[in-house]
């Protein structure tokens, strides 16, 4: 890797850290850059997952005020994310790409629809959800999103936000804070597993980590100031971009 390529990877990490904190899909920035500097697809994907963990944790810290009062929710949903991340990482090294990625665009479309209609659904379903806080459906949805995140991760945040938006009666910013914690641990457990079962490009990991930590803080400062309608619009734009890029592969 040349000096300029290393700088490009760091810059990509900054952008990805910020995008992941605000909504998700930072992988759609970093993964193509790692491919462009010469890493094979699987190595790029594995290194990307591990390298973006510090940025996700940085973003979660930036949203720490919105996490207050959500300890029980985190304790309930975190095992779902962790288990999903482990399953997704195993699938990455055992299944052919087409077996899983064929449904990715469909999943993102569903998530985007859920995000868009969330305010209407909130009004319709509030009385039914007031005491369940998502229940088993939320746990299973977070688990499924964790599988997807452990496998590839692009738009994982969009999926999580779409699921929570329908099943949880909560302010969008607080859900975004929770999303940052859940996706951070998906990347963490998948990344740790990759160390033992896949090839890791450690230089790329370190460069992405450095950039994503900075990006996570920038993303938190920007994302926390966005009104719910604007944040919802950002989610839709990023999600559509994810679909376009995935369909062009």
């Amino acid at each position: 890797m040349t000096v300029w390529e290393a700088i490009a990877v760091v810059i990509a990490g900054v952008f990805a850290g910020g995008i992941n904190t605000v909504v998700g899909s930072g992988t759609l920035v970093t993964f193509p850059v790692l491919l462009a500097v010469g890493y094979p697809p699987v190595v790029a994907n594995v290194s990307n997952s591990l390298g973006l963990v510090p940025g996700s944790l940085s973003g979660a810290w930036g949203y720490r005020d919105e996490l207050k009062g959500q300890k029980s929710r985190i304790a309930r949903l975190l095992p779902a994310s962790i288990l999903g991340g482990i399953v997704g990482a195993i699938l990455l090294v055992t299944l052919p790409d087409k077996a899983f990625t064929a449904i990715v665009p469909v999943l993102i479309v569903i998530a985007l629809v859920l995000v868009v209609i969330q305010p209407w659904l909130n009004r319709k379903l509030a009385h039914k959800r007031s005491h369940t806080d998502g229940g088993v459906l939320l746990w299973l949805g977070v688990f499924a999103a964790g599988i997807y995140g452990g496998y590839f991760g692009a738009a994982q945040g969009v999926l999580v936000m779409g699921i929570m938006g329908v099943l949880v009666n909560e302010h969008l910013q607080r859900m975004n804070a929770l999303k940052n914690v859940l996706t951070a641990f998906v990347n963490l457990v998948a990344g740790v597993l990759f160390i033992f079962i896949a090839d890791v490009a450690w230089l790329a990991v370190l460069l992405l980590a450095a950039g994503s930590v900075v990006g996570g803080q920038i993303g938190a400062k920007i994302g926390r100031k966005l009104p719910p309608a604007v944040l919802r619009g950002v989610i839709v734009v990023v999600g559509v971009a994810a679909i376009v890029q995935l369909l062009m592969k």
Side-chain angles (χ1 to χ4, degrees):
M1 189 185 302
T2 68
V3 173
W4 289 110
E5 288 174 337
I7 292 174
V9 173
V10 172
I11 293 174
V14 174
F15 276 97
I19 293 171
N20 280 341
T21 300
V22 175
V23 54
S25 296
T27 291
L28 294 178
V29 176
T30 50
F31 184 68
V33 171
L34 293 181
L35 292 178
V37 300
Y39 290 109
V42 174
V43 174
N45 194 21
V46 166
S47 305
N48 178 75
S49 294
L50 198 55
L52 293 182
V53 170
S56 297
L57 295 174
S58 175
W61 174 255
Y63 266 87
R64 60 191 180 277
D65 288 342
E66 285 75 16
L67 287 172
K68 292 178 180 178
Q70 299 200 74
K71 288 184 179 179
S72 62
R73 188 177 287 159
I74 293 173
R76 182 163 57 88
L77 295 178
L78 200 54
S81 289
I82 291 173
L83 290 174
I86 293 172
V87 172
I90 294 173
L91 288 176
L92 175 65
V93 296
T94 57
L95 293 180
D97 293 345
K98 292 183 180 180
F100 192 77
T101 56
I103 67 170
V104 168
V106 177
L107 291 176
I108 298 174
V109 169
I110 293 172
L112 291 180
V113 171
L114 295 178
V115 169
V116 171
I117 67 174
Q118 180 202 340
W120 177 79
L121 285 176
N122 278 346
R123 294 190 297 269
K124 293 292 183 181
L125 302 177
H127 66 287
K128 297 181 180 179
R129 300 175 310 182
S130 57
H131 301 293
T132 62
D133 200 22
V136 176
L137 283 179
L138 178 61
W139 200 96
L140 292 175
V142 170
F143 172 68
I147 294 175
Y148 171 64
Y151 187 90
F152 182 50
Q156 177 190 180
V158 175
L159 288 172
V160 174
M161 289 295 286
I163 293 166
M164 291 194 299
V166 171
L167 297 175
V168 180
N169 190 14
E170 183 60 272
H171 191 279
L172 196 65
Q173 292 289 5
R174 284 173 60 79
M175 287 193 295
N176 200 37
L178 177 60
K179 175 267 297 179
N180 286 331
V181 174
L182 298 179
T183 56
F185 275 87
V186 168
N187 287 340
L188 178 61
V189 297
V192 170
L193 194 58
F194 287 148
I195 294 174
F196 299 100
I197 65 176
D199 294 326
V200 179
W202 286 107
L203 176 58
V205 169
L206 293 174
L207 293 174
L208 286 177
S212 67
V213 167
V214 176
Q217 290 300 301
I218 296 173
K221 290 183 181 298
I222 295 174
R224 293 174 71 239
K225 296 179 181 179
L226 293 177
V230 176
L231 181 56
R232 191 170 288 108
V234 172
I235 293 173
V236 172
V237 170
V238 173
V240 171
I243 294 170
V244 171
Q245 184 160 343
L246 289 168
L247 291 177
M248 292 177 62
K249 288 184 179 298

